[in-house]
Amino acid sequence: IVATLLLLSQVFNTRFLQDDYIVLGFLTDSTWIGWLNAVWQGQGGNLWPYGFHALLLTSSVHTVNTSLVAIWTLFVIAVVTLCNLTIFKWVLGEDIKMLGKLKIMTIFSISYLGFEGLFTPGLISAYSYHLASFSHLWPITLLIFALYQMSIASRNIFLAFVLGIFIGNSNIAESTAAIICFAIMFILRKKDFFFTKEFYAKSKNFYYAVFSGTIIGFTIIIISPGFWNRAENSVGLPSSASEFIRRFFRSFSSFSADLLTHPMFWLSFLVGVLISKPIKSFNDRANLINKIKLLLSLGLILFGSLTIGSTFAYVSWHQSSGLYQIFIPFSFLLGFYSKSLFNRNFSES
């Protein structure tokens, strides 16, 4: 009920943010292509987040019209919920059916409310601050969809390449995290390390297509003059080893505190415990544990990439949305597994 009321409130009270007005002001005197060129020269080569953001605002250049933005907010919420259900379906398999319809709605509530923190307005960063959402949330959501497509042996090479372009051309930290994940998958392609062999073997062509697209999208970012101009002029690169260490620990502590004080991280764990049912088969438990470990590994890679990336740039409240997309489902599944483990140990004793 709370999630539904907040959702309706956010959609029907859609307002433009500061970045929206900057784009609207530019589009008043220029074109969409002109905006992309300005981004390329002054911001960076991550063109699709800036381009899609500008497209959302085109109907509002000469009149106040937030309807398209409101509809897009609903679409993003649907995509995020679908992404979480995809994670749960992959990890739990057929056991997802035992959650029931009401509990599936609980997962939807977690998907929506999971972004709101004690110190960060996460709902805004995910569902209202669309440029930040395109840059930080969408690449992780699309990465999860790409991994799931690989797990079901998808052969749609075009889809894989497009997903790769969007993942790689989003933001430097998230793009780097995705490249690291795909590189590890290739290095360990013959080993049963958290299903690495399973992902690679089931859909090699899909893997190569999505990996290639990610590298191309990443390359477009770093070859743009705006990427280096912003790195030098916005905050400035670390000028010494001591400054690098200071900025690194600032970034590390910021993202760590954001996660550890995030109320939905702990509430999701509690919900997982409450709606869990014992998993009796040892093979099922082992499979569940390995999948949870894989999800944790993905989250830690992203955490490290964000920490290093913000060390060379800056830390901001809107950069954590991709982390929530991984760690909130992880917390839920960890609670789900913990009760199963407790019930097993209790029954054995």
Side-chain angles (χ1 to χ4, degrees), residues 23 27 32 35-36 49-59 134:
V23 178
L27 293 178
W32 183 73
W35 169 247
L36 290 184
Y50 285 93
F52 269 68
H53 179 227
L55 285 176
L56 280 179
L57 300 174
T58 51
S59 62
F134 284 133

Side-chain angles (χ1 to χ4, degrees), residues 55-270:
L55 285 176
L56 280 179
L57 300 174
T58 51
S59 62
S60 305
V61 173
H62 300 294
T63 181
V64 179
N65 181 8
T66 61
S67 57
L68 184 59
V69 178
I71 293 172
W72 183 258
T73 299
L74 286 173
F75 177 73
V76 176
I77 292 170
V79 170
V80 170
T81 302
L82 180 61
C83 180
N84 282 339
L85 289 177
T86 299
I87 294 173
F88 296 141
K89 181 180 179 181
W90 177 72
V91 175
L92 299 177
E94 292 297 320
D95 290 332
I96 194 174
K97 295 179 180 179
M98 70 184 186
L99 298 182
K101 293 182 179 179
L102 181 59
K103 293 170 184 176
I104 292 295
M105 292 304 296
T106 302
I107 294 174
F108 153 73
S109 302
I110 291 174
S111 302
Y112 176 67
L113 296 174
F115 293 92
E116 193 67 8
L118 286 177
F119 306 109
T120 55
L123 285 177
I124 293 177
S125 67
Y127 301 124
S128 296
Y129 190 2
H130 292 292
L131 181 57
S133 178
F134 284 133
S135 300
H136 301 288
L137 174 61
W138 275 87
I140 303 305
T141 300
L142 296 178
L143 174 61
I144 291 171
F145 280 132
L147 292 175
Y148 180 73
Q149 289 296 313
M150 292 173 63
S151 72
I152 61 174
S154 174
R155 297 181 179 180
N156 193 331
I157 307 302
F158 176 76
L159 173 64
F161 185 75
V162 172
L163 284 174
I165 290 291
F166 284 156
I167 294 169
N169 193 242
S170 55
N171 190 66
I172 197 70
E174 285 76 9
S175 303
T176 302
I179 289 175
I180 292 173
C181 290
F182 290 134
I184 291 175
M185 190 177 298
F186 180 79
I187 295 170
L188 303 177
R189 63 190 181 279
K190 296 183 179 180
K191 299 187 180 296
D192 294 317
F193 179 77
F194 301 163
F195 302 92
T196 302
K197 183 177 180 180
E198 174 184 336
F199 276 114
Y200 179 83
K202 280 188 174 181
S203 187
K204 292 182 181 179
N205 292 335
F206 191 97
Y207 165 82
Y208 286 122
V210 70
F211 196 8
S212 299
T214 303
I215 293 175
I216 292 173
F218 175 85
T219 303
I220 293 173
I221 292 178
I222 62 175
I223 65 173
S224 67
F227 175 78
W228 301 103
N229 291 336
R230 189 179 184 189
E232 289 289 348
N233 300 324
S234 179
V235 178
L237 300 174
S239 58
S240 64
S242 60
E243 184 184 2
F244 173 84
I245 294 173
R246 178 179 60 82
R247 287 166 64 166
F248 173 84
F249 280 105
R250 178 203 61 186
S251 300
F252 180 83
S253 59
S254 296
F255 288 116
S256 298
D258 194 9
L259 277 177
L260 294 177
T261 62
H262 201 75
M264 288 304 297
F265 181 82
W266 304 104
L267 182 58
S268 297
F269 177 83
L270 178 61

Side-chain angles (χ1 to χ4, degrees), residues 28-41:
T28 301
D29 302 316
S30 186
T31 63
W32 183 73
I33 297 298
W35 169 247
L36 290 184
N37 182 63
V39 170
W40 177 263
Q41 297 295 332

